Amino acid sequence: MSRRDLLEIYQAGIAAADGRHRVAEALAGEAPADRGIHLFAIGKAAPAMALGAHDAWGEAIVDGLIITRQGYLSPALARRTDWRQLEAAHPLPDARSLAAGAALLQALAATAPGAACLFLISGGSSSLVEVLPPGVSLADLQRANDWLLASGLDIGGVNAVRRALSTIKDGRLLAHLVGRQALALYLSDVPGDRLWDIGSGLLAPAPGGRLPLQLPGWLEALLAATSGAGSATAPTAPADSAVTHRVIASSAIALAGCEAAAARRFDHVVRHDRRLDGPVSDAASEIVGTLRRGPPGIYLWGGETTLQLPPDPGRGGRCQQLALRCALELAGRAGLAVLCGATDGSDGPGDDAGALVDDRTVARGEAEGLSGAACLAAADAGRFLAAAGDLISTGPTGTNVNDLVVGLCAAAG
């Protein structure tokens, strides 16, 4: 087995969904508006997507606002002195997220009636930009998001609450586009590429507006006290405005990149079209069970598992938890390996993208005095995987299209 093969297959998936390339390609066949373009890029991949817009349309973009995660700013954008870059926190919003929300509204208001806007939206936007309704404080927002991230809810349930606590999400930003035209390009990190779940739907209201059935009493009270609580409808684009939406990259694009790279190295490659979802434990059993039963080759999955966190979680996110769970099931089974990696390069609140584990991971970690089962229970998978030498670190990747899993079943002997 070559760990390098698995890493290169994973990197090929990331490259296939590269935000700069995908935006440049999407805009190459379109002529920019004569009156100039106002650019708004929001999300973890915002800098890369903005560079792609510059590659395609150059000086036709008269100004820009780029809002991204702390540490993700692009030095390459500094040459555009008419473009402003802002950082905010992820996955928990902070005061900079509110400042970014205010800057977004100010920048939109400064554009002239009839202006042409280009929105570049990627995952992470839910945390990075916010404008709160009256009666909701930053502390309220952080408490709500802290609970949501630990709840084990899927992204649909999480974002339903986020939308209800916002005056710009759930399509409400549309109210600030009166008389303006907009093209919105998306990198999708959600099931079904649902526009109202990418960044909690800045420009796309959710149908129905349903909230999760089980919420803590304090969160239900907060929602009930806000004007946007449980809103089933959101503003539609004004009659004199028009918004065109286009998803330009998703998990399927990344998986296709993985598949092509794997096919150059292995005779047998299986790409699973059903998304990985649900609890980490179920996903790990599916992955390892498939590898144990299948013929030698590469097995590919994309998606996003759910993870319920204890009160004081340790290091790592869902990819690292999934990897460690797989490692515990792989222990002693020679020839099997699994790579679990976030396509944006950050798995949870840390800077690691995920991990590549094999049949010896548990032994390596235990040799350092740690218990894999104990670390898993404490949501401290990252500590164990660091000790085992199995963490993956990529830095910002320029994309965000969910997680990738690359499984290997090596030929015997």
Side-chain angles (χ1 to χ4, degrees):
M1 179 201 74
S2 170
R3 293 172 68 89
R4 178 178 294 179
D5 283 335
L6 298 193
L7 288 168
E8 289 180 353
I9 291 168
Y10 164 64
Q11 291 284 2
I14 290 172
D18 175 68
R20 181 172 187 171
H21 170 73
R22 301 303 299 188
V23 169
E25 184 178 66
L27 297 179
E30 299 190 22
D34 293 337
R35 57 192 180 279
I37 304 295
H38 303 276
L39 179 144
F40 301 90
I42 309 168
K44 294 182 190 175
M49 296 179 79
L51 285 168
H54 183 270
D55 292 341
W57 284 357
E59 299 304 318
I61 302 173
V62 295
D63 55 38
L65 176 64
I66 296 93
I67 301 169
T68 194
R69 177 178 170 162
Q70 180 177 345
Y72 280 41
L73 297 181
S74 171
L77 289 173
R79 66 177 182 270
R80 289 295 306 251
T81 57
D82 50 350
W83 289 14
R84 182 183 180 192
Q85 292 191 81
L86 299 177
E87 293 180 303
H90 184 279
L92 282 178
D94 65 0
R96 293 171 298 175
S97 307
L98 303 186
L104 174 60
L105 297 189
Q106 291 167 4
L108 272 174
T111 62
C117 300
L118 174 63
F119 285 87
L120 307 174
I121 300 175
S122 57
S125 300
S126 295
S127 175
L128 297 171
V129 60
E130 187 57 276
V131 179
L132 294 173
V136 179
S137 67
L138 174 60
D140 292 330
L141 180 68
Q142 291 175 326
R143 185 184 183 192
N145 275 274
D146 194 40
W147 182 86
L148 289 167
L149 293 170
S151 68
L153 288 172
D154 64 18
I155 193 62
V158 169
N159 281 349
V161 176
R162 287 168 166 167
R163 288 191 293 267
L165 289 173
S166 176
T167 66
I168 57 172
K169 299 184 173 80
D170 205 11
R172 296 183 179 94
L173 191 63
L174 293 169
H176 299 270
L177 283 177
V178 176
R180 297 164 179 84
Q181 313 299 303
L183 170 63
L185 303 182
Y186 299 85
L187 300 186
S188 172
D189 64 337
V190 300
D193 302 335
R194 301 182 303 241
L195 299 182
W196 57 88
D197 273 331
I198 305 173
S200 298
L202 291 166
L203 298 171
R210 295 182 179 178
L211 291 170
L213 295 178
Q214 294 184 335
L215 296 174
W218 63 266
L219 184 50
E220 289 183 342
L222 179 63
L223 292 169
T226 66
S227 59
S231 173
T233 60
T236 56
D240 57 350
S241 298
V243 181
T244 299
H245 303 276
R246 193 183 308 163
V247 175
I248 59 171
S250 64
S251 179
I253 296 291
L255 280 172
C258 290
E259 185 177 24
R264 292 193 289 269
R265 296 168 171 81
F266 296 87
D267 294 332
H268 184 69
V269 178
V270 178
R271 170 180 161 184
H272 292 84
D273 291 327
R274 191 191 75 78
R275 287 174 52 88
L276 282 179
D277 55 17
V280 160
S281 57
D282 293 348
S285 295
E286 177 182 344
I287 293 164
V288 176
T290 298
L291 296 181
R292 289 177 58 190
R293 294 188 300 268
I298 290 291
Y299 297 80
L300 305 170
W301 292 264
E304 179 177 296
T305 57
T306 57
L307 181 62
Q308 192 167 4
L309 297 175
D312 295 304
R315 176 179 178 180
R318 61 179 178 265
C319 284
Q320 290 163 68
Q321 285 285 114
L322 178 59
L324 181 52
R325 175 77 68 167
C326 287
L328 290 170
E329 297 191 27
L330 290 175
R333 301 182 184 279
L336 303 182
V338 178
L339 184 155
C340 306
T343 53
D344 62 3
S346 60
D347 174 39
D351 294 326
D352 299 303
L356 197 175
V357 300
D358 56 33
D359 61 298
R360 296 291 299 162
T361 291
V362 172
R364 290 193 294 270
E366 289 179 346
E368 299 299 319
L370 297 177
S371 163
C375 286
L376 195 67
D380 199 17
R383 186 161 70 104
F384 188 92
L385 294 166
D390 288 346
L391 287 177
I392 298 170
S393 297
T394 64
T397 62
T399 191
N400 188 6
V401 290
N402 270 162
D403 304 331
L404 292 173
V405 174
V406 184
L408 169 70
C409 175

